[in-house]
Amino acid sequence: MELTDIWFVAITVLWVGYFVLEGFDFGVGMLLPVMARNETERRVMINTIGPVWDGNEVWLITAGGATFAAFPEWYASLFSGFYLPLLLILLALIVRGVAFEYRAKRDSMTWRRRWDACIVAGSFAPALLWGIAFANIVRGVKLDARHEYVGTFWDLLNPYALLGGLTTLALCATHGAVFLALKTTGEISGRAAVLALRTGVAAAVLAVAFLTWTQIQGGTLGTVILSAVAVLSFAAALGAIAKGRQGWAFLLSAVAIGVTVISLFAVLYPNVLPSTVNPAYSLTVENAAATPKTLGIMTWVAVIFLPLVLLYQSWTYWVFRRRIGVGDIPAHH
């Protein structure tokens, strides 16, 4: 296997980690006005992701940095062509992060509600826009012979991409509800389980439609099998949550999201950004890659430091593994 292939796989793994971990973050944020009935329950929900949400975003930073270093041509074409949606995602993530830190700075219900609205919007927008962006990457965009995007913003809002956005939105909402069922106690956990089943049905329908459309466009036997595994895992997750087995439900939901991301990258390979103008203009793992020396240095850096990052993040989740409920929330000051 060439270094270019290894780094394509590595970037795939980074995006899998991002969508699996940040996915439930987005879900919890979106469900804040739906699940919580009072300020104490809102604090319970926010505290379930409080210790980990910023660490989960490291996967996004690493994926972006790895793309820039390993496939600079891909990075340049992607960030120029998808400038507006990526800017909206960045702004949403900034507002969301500020909201987590500032909502408790004043003892004012109006103040907290405004920041809660920022958390909801900052979770909703990335969950939707990432699906639209990745659907366009798989489908292909208008690249010319110089690998420059020659389309418009509205070209990105095609039916396939919008279906991809709705799919990731529904999957994140369900993943977040399953996480809440696992991480909380009492009434919140019960309501989260019920909501996970309701949103899960919609997510399953959207996912089947999106993955089927993806396979029709350019699937192989291998990607069809991956898509089937993703759908079956998600169905099993809904079955587990219905039986009250929240741990298994969360694990299977994570598997479903991870395998879905892998299947999209498998459909994309060996392209990294197909051209709908002319297939010869497409960016591939070969013509978009950095020099072999650069890839070699990156590989050694990843081998040394990636295990340390994984160990640290695993330790964080272990430390904050306990379920929480309204009884664990002190009086607000």
Side-chain angles (χ1 to χ4, degrees), residues 22 104 131 271:
E22 191 83 311
N271 294 320

Side-chain angles (χ1 to χ4, degrees), residues 303-323:
V303 167
I304 295 171
F305 290 103
L306 183 59
L308 298 178
V309 174
L310 292 175
L311 284 172
Y312 173 76
Q313 192 160 31
S314 299
W315 175 79
T316 302
Y317 275 92
W318 176 256
V319 170
F320 295 101
R321 66 190 182 279
R322 190 174 69 86
R323 292 174 182 249

